[in-house]
């Protein structure tokens, strides 16, 4: 071949990327889909695509550090005798004991309690450690009903009926055999070491009319004392919110597609459900149409990372947010200090998501006693508390800059969007314009 | 016996009165009149009391029961005895879907037939049905015993874990990973006891036992069409 003739440079396909090809080879070698933890990793329109406008001539700001900016929120004011009072509008999302170690659950309880907020059980039931270390504990009522006990139900400060999760709307759970220790097996009434499938539908109700009766039963059993939340994955937020309200929910929890999971098929995580940014406005509109916005509270989750995300979710109409992944990172998940061990597992800090294998170097998503012992629940709880405080301070900083003395006074008018997509989903104007797609009266 | 008129006095009063009973109650014998298909009757009880419901009920009768003996002199709607922990629930008539769903303990007796998904996800409860049961019964059943004196519908015991299923009549079809297993002496003794407690005169020798083949317990690529 004549070396003087110019050659085309090798071009990697934008469709068949290195990652795509590696996945094809992995599937071909193993015959099983990829299972992993975490949320959607692809980029989707998110809170980063929104900006706050801040005060200007027409609005005056509040003095940072001096003028009050309230952060407390009360959840469950509709029917519950004892609504939940939180100091900050950031709650800890439901994550199962089984997926997480006992120490990690304890740390979540400690951190949340020190910051004046609630934490949530998860699939597999309530542990005494978690109850003991959480001043306010929400008890999840899931399709699997693993570990479900009326005694624990009555110990809860609120009940969360889980219909779905943002990472896998329409999907059940999975806890692979490696993570089924004696204790986890015992709590779930299953043999040790087998894969545990959690059903995707509740065993004793289907549809909104049944749900209404189910909520009645739960209220009757708990003497109408505690709030009942209904958690759904982000898919059809307008209708899901409206139906949850109709069924009698005190609080609706909406989890967008970036929301984490302990273990789910990658194809499910990345391809089912809609972004968190897109779920809030339709849900708020449903609440407003039914005349219950603020009476039925809305908690939003899925990819919340900092006080700006909190403030943006609240400006769009949420009453509070919930965090899962970020809380685990605050405890120590994916910390670069374990890099050598992540490498041994074929991963790297920040990308490690094989939580289902139970080998987590940070000792959080594991049932292995030696690994779990790496996490000191007191230290980790303190880190979580600090992080929650920082998020709250950040959200307050933004709210004051927008002239609000309460986080819940943030409003869509405080926001603009950086992209047309985000403008359409959040229904706030593209920066520097007064327009967003679908704006009433604009014709397009 | 204390009589509670559900129609006149409402559900809240009934459940709160029944739930207030503790170990040393002397109000341990109740009858509920005019149930008229109401939902969530006698739920969340936690004392050794006896409650007789004079008529038929709606959803979740006796839900999450602990210790109490609940006797329904009629038929029950979906989810009777759901998540029962202990105690006994006896239904004179038929039961709708999901009877005994996710029950952790205690005994549920249905003297008529039970509909689909009887014993779904059961976790230790014993269920005795004098008549037939519908399709997808004992789906993902984890522990406990389901005894059926009549016939079972399609896909019995699909994705079964460790629950034991005993059927006297025919089984329309078995679900994935559910197989027939032999009756050993301990099963005969167990059946004898459950049938006696359920006031059935069926003979243990007439039953067949079904259980999990345990082939779906850990993922196997060559079986992935059965998941
Ligand atoms: C390790 C882990 C375990 C989880 N377990 C549950 C669970 O048992 N039940 C549930 O409803 N959601 C579960 N989730 C989802 C969270 O409740 C929440 O919806 C999600 O984490 C929020 O998104 P974020 O992770 O981006 O903050 C889990 C999430 C993680 C990361």
């Amino acid at each position: 071949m004549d070396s003087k003739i110019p050659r085309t440079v090798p071009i990697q396909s934008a469709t068949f990327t290195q990652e795509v090809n590696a996945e094809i080879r992995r599937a071909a070698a193993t015959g099983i889909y990829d299972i992993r933890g975490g949320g959607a990793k692809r980029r989707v329109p998110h809170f980063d695509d929104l900006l706050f406008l801040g005060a200007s001539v027409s609005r005056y700001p509040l003095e940072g550090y001096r003028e009050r900016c309230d952060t407390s929120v009360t959840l469950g004011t509709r029917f519950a005798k004892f609504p939940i009072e939180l100091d900050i509008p950031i709650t800890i999302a439901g994550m199962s004991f089984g997926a997480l170690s006992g120490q990690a659950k304890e740390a979540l309880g400690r951190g949340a309690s020190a910051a004046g907020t609630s934490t949530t059980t998860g699939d597999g039931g309530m542990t005494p450690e978690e109850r003991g270390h959480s001043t306010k504990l929400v008890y999840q009522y899931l399709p699997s009903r693993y570990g479900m006990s009326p005694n624990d139900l009555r110990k809860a400060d609120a009940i969360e009926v889980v219909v779905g999760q943002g990472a896998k709307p329409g999907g059940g759970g999975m806890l692979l055999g490696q993570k089924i220790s004696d204790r986890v097996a015992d709590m779930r009434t299953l043999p040790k070491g087998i894969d545990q499938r959690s059903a995707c539908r509740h065993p004793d109700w289907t549809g909104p009319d049944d749900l209404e009766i189910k909520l009645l039963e739960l209220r009757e059993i708990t003497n109408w004392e505690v709030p009942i939340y209904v958690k759904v994955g982000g898919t059809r937020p307008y209708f899901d919110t409206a139906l949850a309200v109709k069924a009698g929910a005190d609080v609706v929890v909406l989890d967008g597609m970036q929301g984490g999971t302990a273990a789910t098929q990658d194809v499910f995580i990345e391809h089912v459900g809609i972004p968190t940014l897109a779920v809030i406005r339709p849900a708020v509109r449903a609440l407003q149409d039914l005349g219950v916005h603020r009476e039925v509270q809305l908690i939003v989750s899925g990819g919340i990372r900092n006080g700006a995300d909190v403030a943006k979710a609240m400006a769009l109409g949420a009453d509070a947010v919930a965090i899962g992944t970020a809380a685990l990172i605050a405890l120590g998940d994916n910390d670069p200090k374990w890099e050598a061990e992540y490498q041994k597992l074929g991963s790297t800090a920040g990308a490690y998501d094989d939580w289902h294998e139970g080998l987590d170097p940070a000792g959080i998503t594991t049932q292995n006693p030696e690994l779990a012992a790496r996490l000191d629940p007191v230290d980790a709880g303190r880190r979580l508390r600090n992080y929650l405080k920082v998020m709250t301070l950040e959200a307050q900083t933004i709210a004051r800059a927008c002239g609000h003395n309460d986080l819940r006074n943030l409003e869509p008018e405080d926001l603009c969007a950086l992209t047309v997509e985000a403008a359409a989903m959040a229904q706030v104007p593209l920066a520097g314009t007064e327009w967003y797609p679908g704006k009433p009266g604009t014709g397009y | 016996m204390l009589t509670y008129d559900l129609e006149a006095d409402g559900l809240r009063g009934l459940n709160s009165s029944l739930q207030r009973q503790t170990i040393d109650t002397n109000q341990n014998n109740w009858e509920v009149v005019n149930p008229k298909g109401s939902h969530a009757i006698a739920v969340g009880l936690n004392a050794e009391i006896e409650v007789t419901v004079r008529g038929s009920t709606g959803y979740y009768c006796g839900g999450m029961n602990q210790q109490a003996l609940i006797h329904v002199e009629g038929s029950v709607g979906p989810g009777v005895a759901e998540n029962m922990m202990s105690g006994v629930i006896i239904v004179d008539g038929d039961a709708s879907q999901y009877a005994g769903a996710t029950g952790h303990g205690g005994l549920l007796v249905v003297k008529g037939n039970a509909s689909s998904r009887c014993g779904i996800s059961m976790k230790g409860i014993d269920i005795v049905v004098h008549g037939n049961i519908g399709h997808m019964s004992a789906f993902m059943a984890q522990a406990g015993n389901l005894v059926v004196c009549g016939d079972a519908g399609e896909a019995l015991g699909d994705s079964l874990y460790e629950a034991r299923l005993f059927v006297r009549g025919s089984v329309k079809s078995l679900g994935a990973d559910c197989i027939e297993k032999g009756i050993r002496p301990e099963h005969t003794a167990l059946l004898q006891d459950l049938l006696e407690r359920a006031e059935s005169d069926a003979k243990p020798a007439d039953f067949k036992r079904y259980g999990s083949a345990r082939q779906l317990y850990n993922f196997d690529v060559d079986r992935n069409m059965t998941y």
Side-chain angles (χ1 to χ4, degrees):
Chain A
M1 215 195 291
D2 185 345
S3 63
K4 292 205 186 88
I5 299 175
R7 313 250 335 254
T8 55
V9 290
I11 298 175
Q12 294 285 352
S13 168
T15 306
F16 288 89
T17 60
Q18 299 279 23
E19 284 102 355
V20 166
N21 295 354
E23 178 49 24
I24 292 172
R25 285 188 284 271
R26 194 205 56 76
T30 63
I32 182 173
Y33 36 50
D34 181 32
I35 294 172
R36 67 170 177 88
K41 291 189 169 184
R42 61 151 95 202
R43 187 175 165 12
V44 294
H46 196 36
F47 293 120
D48 286 341
D49 302 316
L50 300 182
L51 294 173
F52 280 99
L53 295 170
S56 53
V57 180
S58 59
R59 297 185 175 209
Y60 65 90
L62 300 185
E63 199 63 65
Y65 308 113
R66 292 201 171 67
E67 291 181 282
R68 272 181 83 98
C69 178
D70 289 336
T71 62
S72 62
V73 58
T74 306
L75 301 171
T77 48
R78 187 185 187 194
F79 290 126
K81 248 180 246 165
F82 306 128
I84 289 204
E85 313 265 354
L86 303 179
D87 296 341
I88 60 171
I90 310 161
T91 66
I92 304 300
M95 293 182 274
S96 57
F97 170 69
L100 301 186
S101 69
Q103 288 92 326
K105 287 299 278 176
E106 179 183 331
L108 291 172
R110 286 176 178 273
S113 302
T117 191
S118 61
T119 183
T120 312
T121 65
D123 214 355
M126 183 190 282
T127 64
E129 295 98 306
E130 183 177 28
R131 177 61 279 189
H133 291 289
S134 309
T135 28
K136 298 193 174 77
L137 183 60
V138 182
Y139 187 51
Q140 282 201 331
Y141 188 71
L142 295 117
S144 73
R145 310 277 165 87
Y146 286 141
M148 167 60 217
S149 145
N151 300 334
D152 290 340
L153 193 71
R154 292 194 191 96
K155 283 186 206 138
D157 300 292
I159 300 164
E160 181 168 295
V161 176
V162 179
V163 178
Q165 242 178 277
K168 47 175 177 180
M174 231 178 309
L175 193 63
L176 298 191
Q178 302 89 301
K179 287 179 81 167
I180 313 297
S181 65
D182 286 324
R183 184 172 180 203
V184 173
D186 189 49
M187 277 178 72
R188 298 180 183 220
T189 331
L190 280 172
K192 197 180 167 187
I194 71 169
D195 296 345
Q196 295 191 359
R197 297 155 286 170
S198 301
C200 65
R201 287 205 308 270
H202 280 263
D204 57 355
W205 65 270
T206 36
D209 296 336
D210 283 7
L211 175 59
E212 188 170 349
I213 306 170
K214 178 47 79 176
L215 298 196
L216 169 74
E217 185 206 8
L218 293 172
R219 292 209 192 267
E220 283 291 318
I221 290 174
T222 52
N223 204 21
W224 290 75
E225 286 174 356
V226 300
I228 300 188
Y229 307 1
V230 172
K231 175 177 179 175
V232 284
T235 55
R236 298 174 185 84
Y238 181 86
F239 295 107
D240 286 338
T241 303
L243 291 170
V245 169
K246 187 228 156 217
D250 290 303
V251 175
V252 177
V253 182
L254 265 178
D255 192 28
M257 74 175 284
Q258 298 100 315
T261 169
T264 300
Q265 298 93 328
D266 176 78
V267 72
F268 212 144
I269 299 174
E270 297 287 357
H271 297 278
V272 185
I274 66 172
T276 306
L277 188 63
V279 304
I280 308 177
R281 293 307 292 274
V284 172
R285 188 159 50 83
L287 295 173
Q288 287 166 340
D289 286 353
L290 294 167
V292 295
H293 187 217
R294 305 295 184 208
E295 183 195 341
V296 171
Q297 288 80 31
L298 176 67
I299 300 179
V300 167
S301 58
I304 305 273
R305 305 151 298 174
N306 51 43
D309 290 349
V310 177
K312 288 169 186 174
M314 293 184 74
L316 293 176
D319 295 271
V321 301
I323 58 167
T325 305
L328 299 187
I329 294 169
L331 298 188
D333 168 63
N334 265 292
D335 192 318
K337 79 175 175 193
W338 305 111
E339 180 59 17
E341 295 191 41
Y342 290 128
Q343 294 279 342
K344 270 190 233 152
L345 296 168
S347 189
T348 183
Y352 178 70
D353 59 13
D354 286 327
W355 298 344
H356 56 287
E357 290 176 352
L359 302 172
D360 184 1
I364 293 170
T365 56
T366 182
Q367 296 302 321
N368 174 313
E370 282 101 73
L371 290 172
R374 290 181 176 181
L375 188 83
D376 176 351
V378 177
D379 275 356
R382 203 172 295 129
R383 284 196 294 277
L384 177 60
R385 184 210 54 185
N386 291 346
Y387 168 61
L388 289 167
K389 295 261 179 214
V390 170
M391 286 176 103
T392 308
L393 286 170
E394 288 175 343
Q396 284 174 301
T397 302
I398 288 171
R400 286 199 189 93
C402 295
H404 298 302
N405 62 5
D406 191 310
L407 290 184
R408 285 208 289 174
N409 292 346
L410 284 160
E411 53 191 344
E413 288 68 26
D414 293 318
L415 292 167
C416 67
L418 279 170
T419 67
V420 175
E421 287 85 352
M425 290 180 190
Q427 291 161 37
V428 299
L430 194 61
T433 79
E434 289 174 14
W435 173 80
Y436 60 85
K439 184 175 179 182
T442 60
Y444 52 93
Chain B
M1 178 175 302
L2 292 131
T3 300
Y4 191 96
D5 185 335
L6 189 60
E7 197 176 25
D9 300 324
L11 183 67
R12 192 72 283 268
L14 172 69
N15 282 325
S16 58
S17 305
L18 296 178
Q19 288 165 4
R20 252 196 319 269
Q21 308 309 319
T22 48
I23 303 171
D24 33 56
T25 183
N26 53 6
Q27 301 184 322
N28 47 16
N29 217 324
W30 294 70
E31 70 168 353
V32 181
V33 298
N34 288 320
K36 300 203 168 160
S38 300
H39 307 308
I41 291 178
V43 294
L45 307 193
N46 194 4
E48 279 189 42
I49 57 174
E50 276 186 47
V51 180
T52 304
V53 182
R54 310 245 187 248
S56 294
T57 74
Y59 281 56
Y60 309 131
C61 178
M64 301 194 200
N65 185 46
Q66 291 169 284
Q67 304 187 65
L69 167 62
I70 300 170
H71 182 175
V72 182
E73 294 178 341
S75 293
V76 292
V80 63
E82 70 87 13
N83 216 87
M84 175 152 73
M85 307 299 286
S86 59
V88 179
I89 297 182
I90 300 166
V91 179
D92 286 349
D94 298 324
S96 183
Q97 304 176 83
Y98 342 117
T102 79
H104 284 68
L107 173 67
L108 167 66
V109 180
V110 178
K111 297 211 167 153
N113 303 309
S115 179
S116 59
R117 297 186 167 81
C118 177
I120 182 172
S121 202
M122 56 194 271
K123 300 172 189 345
I125 190 176
D126 292 320
I127 303 175
V128 181
V129 180
H130 287 216
N132 308 323
I133 59 170
H135 65 265
M136 290 299 278
S137 287
F139 175 60
M140 290 179 90
Q142 295 172 219
N145 302 290
L146 172 63
V147 180
V148 184
C149 302
D151 304 331
E154 291 102 339
L156 175 72
D158 194 281
S159 304
L160 189 64
Y161 290 106
E162 295 293 302
R164 297 187 204 94
L165 317 179
F166 300 95
V167 183
R168 184 167 66 165
S170 67
V171 173
K172 198 147 192 194
S173 65
L174 292 174
D177 213 30
C178 182
I179 53 168
E180 189 182 333
K181 295 181 165 181
I183 299 253
R184 295 196 298 265
E186 72 259 31
H187 302 129
T188 308
L190 179 82
L191 263 173
Q192 186 72 48
D193 174 57
L194 285 173
L195 289 166
E196 266 166 30
R197 287 168 59 209
E199 296 173 339
S200 164
D201 52 15
K203 302 278 163 289
D206 297 335
F207 286 78
K208 284 183 177 150
R209 179 169 74 102
Y210 303 87
S212 178
R214 303 191 180 100
Q215 298 296 309
L216 299 181
Y217 276 16
N218 294 97
F219 189 87
D220 176 348
V221 58
D222 293 320
R223 267 184 234 285
N224 66 12
M225 289 311 156
T226 44
Y227 285 92

